[in-house]
């Protein structure tokens, strides 16, 4: 029992700026699901997969960078929707590269069907992979992909 607790895989889920407004925000693009609902879904899925899921949302780049640093020694993988920081943040990419934990990048919308500035991700080159365009299902698929990667 003690051993099981010590070896439980823990996944850090990071949500970037404006994702706290999911449900209200551009529902034609992001759907009507709220962030609380997504976190609930991930927690339930985590139970099925027998992993711990810890979620954090921030509108601030530095808070996300600090959370990535703090993941060392606490979490074994990071599931991240960097939101707008996907397309701008060298700092978040460098933090992820520095801690060298496996990362899966997810997006609710299909960023490749949208404006050209959303086609570039600073995170994708250092991620295990990226899932884009399946709404909240992107997160569920991303969690599965990350856990699969960690267990293979
Ligand atoms: C997003 C896509 C980004 O381009 C955008 O800035 C977001 C959300 C998505 O989940 O579809 O805020 O990451």
């Amino acid at each position: 029992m003690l051993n099981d607790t010590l070896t439980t895989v823990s996944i850090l889920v990071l949500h970037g700026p404006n994702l706290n407004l999911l449900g209200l925000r551009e529902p034609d693009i992001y759907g009507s699901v709220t962030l609380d609902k997504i976190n609930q879904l991930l927690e339930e899925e985590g139970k099925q997969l027998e992993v711990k899921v810890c979620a954090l949302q921030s509108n601030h780049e530095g808070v996300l960078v600090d959370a990535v640093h703090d993941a060392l020694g606490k979490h074994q993988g990071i599931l991240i929707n960097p939101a707008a920081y996907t397309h701008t943040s060298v700092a978040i990419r460098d933090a992820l590269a520095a801690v060298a934990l496996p990362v899966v990048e997810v997006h609710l919308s299909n960023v490749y069907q949208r404006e050209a500035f959303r086609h570039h991700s600073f995170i994708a080159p250092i991620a295990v992979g990226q899932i884009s365009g399946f709404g909240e299902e992107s997160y569920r698929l991303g969690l599965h992909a990350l856990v699969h990667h960690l267990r293979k």
Side-chain angles (χ1 to χ4, degrees):
M1 182 66 186
L2 185 60
N3 263 353
D4 280 357
T5 312
L6 289 175
T7 56
T8 299
V9 165
S10 179
I11 305 296
L12 176 64
V13 179
L14 291 176
H15 306 282
N18 302 306
L19 295 173
N20 53 311
L21 296 182
L22 285 178
L24 293 174
R25 177 191 183 202
E26 301 179 271
D28 45 322
I29 297 173
Y30 299 115
S32 56
V33 70
T34 62
L35 191 62
D36 279 350
K37 188 82 200 150
I38 289 175
N39 286 336
Q40 199 183 314
L41 180 153
L42 287 172
E43 202 174 314
E44 282 161 16
E45 207 63 31
K47 280 189 192 136
Q48 299 290 322
L49 293 166
E50 298 182 349
V51 297
K52 199 174 154 208
V53 173
C54 299
L56 172 83
Q57 187 275 333
S58 180
N59 295 322
H60 304 277
E61 191 175 23
V63 172
L64 294 164
V65 168
D66 286 344
V68 170
H69 295 177
D70 288 348
L72 259 190
K74 290 187 194 147
H75 306 285
Q76 284 69 51
I78 300 180
L79 181 69
I80 185 167
N81 182 347
Y85 287 140
T86 307
H87 320 298
T88 64
S89 182
V90 177
I92 292 174
R93 175 213 175 109
D94 283 355
L96 291 167
V99 300
L101 291 169
V103 174
V104 171
E105 175 185 340
V106 298
H107 299 283
L108 294 144
S109 63
N110 181 345
V111 287
Y112 302 100
Q113 284 178 344
R114 300 181 62 196
E115 303 94 323
F117 67 83
R118 296 185 203 275
H119 299 178
H120 178 258
S121 167
F122 279 102
I123 313 302
I126 54 95
V128 177
Q130 185 198 59
I131 296 167
S132 173
F134 297 95
E136 70 263 35
E137 184 69 6
S138 291
Y139 282 91
R140 207 181 63 78
L141 293 168
L143 182 64
H144 274 259
L146 184 53
V147 172
H148 180 265
H149 174 80
L150 287 166
R151 288 186 173 150
K152 81 171 186 249

